Amino acid sequence: MTRQPAVAGQFYTDEPKRLRGDLQRMIPAETMKQRVKGIVAPHAGYVYSGHVAGAVYGAIEIPSTVVILGPNHHGFGAAAALYPEGEWLTPLGSVPIDVRLSQLVQKHVPLVEPETSAHRFEHSLEVQVPFLQYCRADVSIVPICLGFGDYERCRLLGEGIARAIREFGEDVLIVASSDMTHYESADAARAKDEQAIAEVLALNPEGLVQICRRKNITMCGVIPATVMLVTAKALGASKAELISYATSGDVTGDNRQVVAYAAMAVY
């Protein structure tokens, strides 16, 4: 199975040479790269959030296998939809699915369903792939699109992915794709987002879900971020840091209604 890009030419350019140039400008050329268990990276159009995502991708080592967790914006497909095999195309070329890790995830996480319809139009996972390709040409991925909202399934999924990674026996990065507060003033967004970010930095996955629900923080990837935290903690993570934070207002100059973006690393 080959997944065609759904948002090339919209969220990012579909011209390979230009895309490489954009990524080069967005990803700092750091010499000291950190080994991490997981990251949170935004998924808006690159003109708005690419420099935030690039900040975290430039700061970390990218292993050869990456699990990408993204929210289901369209509602198609299963509640936990795993793209099981094949390849994903971007303007930079193809990225294979890591079939062995995909099969181990299916073995250890009964609630995951192998299917492709949830992924067909979903941008949240796709926009991470060119960053991964640019940073590591031989990368393979395990994309999982999430469309549920409760903590218990986050816990079951995260613990199962951790078991799969342990059996896999190699370094794996978990990318949680998420933007932060949507369509509030920049000041209001920052005040809300600081509370959600604090839960990530405290490695408190259940607290992250609770604060977003209680304070109506419209962090669209709260579930992917929560699953990533559960997985990373099960694999021994003990620290987290905020790498970058920005809003669309920083680009447009209009701070009345923004979308906010954060990049965080867990290690």
Side-chain angles (χ1 to χ4, degrees), residues 136-153:
R136 178 150 188 159
D138 65 342
V139 74
S140 62
I141 59 174
V142 177
I144 306 174
C145 190
L146 303 177
F148 60 84
D150 58 287
Y151 175 72
E152 181 58 20
R153 279 186 282 184

Side-chain angles (χ1 to χ4, degrees), residues 11 28 62 82 86 99-100 114 195 198 207 223 247 258:
F11 280 62
I62 309 290
L82 170 74
V99 176
R100 185 165 75 90
Q195 298 175 76
I223 296 302
T247 76
V258 305

Side-chain angles (χ1 to χ4, degrees), residues 229-245:
L229 285 174
V230 172
T231 307
K233 286 182 71 177
L235 294 171
S238 60
K239 294 181 180 178
E241 64 178 295
L242 176 66
I243 305 292
S244 181
Y245 180 87

Side-chain angles (χ1 to χ4, degrees), residues 61-85:
E61 290 183 9
I62 309 290
S64 60
T65 306
V66 178
V67 174
I68 312 175
L69 306 169
N72 188 330
H73 286 87
H74 299 280
F76 300 127
L82 170 74
Y83 203 97
E85 61 185 8

Side-chain angles (χ1 to χ4, degrees), residues 179-198 212 215-219 245-250 254-262:
D179 296 337
M180 301 300 292
T181 290
H182 290 62
Y183 310 126
E184 298 191 34
S185 73
D187 289 342
R190 182 178 289 274
K192 285 188 171 184
D193 290 339
E194 284 175 350
Q195 298 175 76
I197 290 166
C212 287
K215 300 289 187 177
N216 192 29
I217 301 170
T218 51
M219 178 182 179
Y245 180 87
T247 76
S248 58
D250 299 331
D254 184 352
N255 288 309
R256 294 170 297 176
Q257 273 205 329
V258 305
V259 179
Y261 318 108

Side-chain angles (χ1 to χ4, degrees), residues 21-96:
D22 289 347
L23 290 163
Q24 183 177 20
R25 284 188 292 274
M26 292 185 293
I27 300 170
E30 301 285 353
T31 52
M32 295 291 291
K33 295 185 183 292
Q34 192 168 18
R35 291 182 65 181
V36 302
K37 302 291 185 185
I39 63 171
V40 175
H43 57 239
Y46 285 5
V47 67
Y48 298 109
S49 69
H51 64 291
V52 177
V56 70
Y57 280 114
I60 65 171
E61 290 183 9
I62 309 290
S64 60
T65 306
V66 178
V67 174
I68 312 175
L69 306 169
N72 188 330
H73 286 87
H74 299 280
F76 300 127
L82 170 74
Y83 203 97
E85 61 185 8
E87 62 182 6
W88 281 32
L89 295 183
T90 81
L92 300 184
S94 66
V95 177

